[in-house]
Amino acid sequence: MRILLRVQHTDLKASFNFGLVGAAVELGAARATYEIQGVGIGAVFADILSDLPGVGTFNYSTYLKISGPVQNKVAKFIEANREKLVPQPVAVALARPLDPLASARAVYFAMYGLAGRSSLKDILSVVPLGVDKAAVGLAYEQVAGHLSPDERPSETAQREARVWLNR
């Protein structure tokens, strides 16, 4: 089971856990939503969600339900089905890529867009998954200068990008 929290408008500068997020919401210092995903728990997932909808606003009472009845149901399911459960790998998003070439891909992607005289907005709209949009924007700005997102780069910037790509 995976629980995703989306915290917005936080005025607090601290690392959070579920309880602190719930308390911050109650104090008006943050807004949060949650989503419960039944990764690997199959049949029991519907039973777990009888106490709590799969998606909703996260607050302290939601935290209490997750840390109480929901957690207890998952623990009981695991205990009752220990022999049947087989661990499986699950994909997770990493805060920063493990790939040392990730920043190089971002620079290459920016240069390729500049060589076609694409606006930053157009380039960022097609950045592939795994390429850091912020790094693309930074590389773009270093060659094209500070432009509005809809503005196309100069022909000089286009030439510089083409020269860079052909090295």
Side-chain angles (χ1 to χ4, degrees), residues 114-115 117 143-144 152-162:
L114 282 163
R117 286 199 70 208
V143 175
R152 290 174 44 147
S154 68
E155 289 179 2
T156 303
Q158 180 185 32
R159 276 192 301 277
E160 286 181 39
R162 286 181 176 169

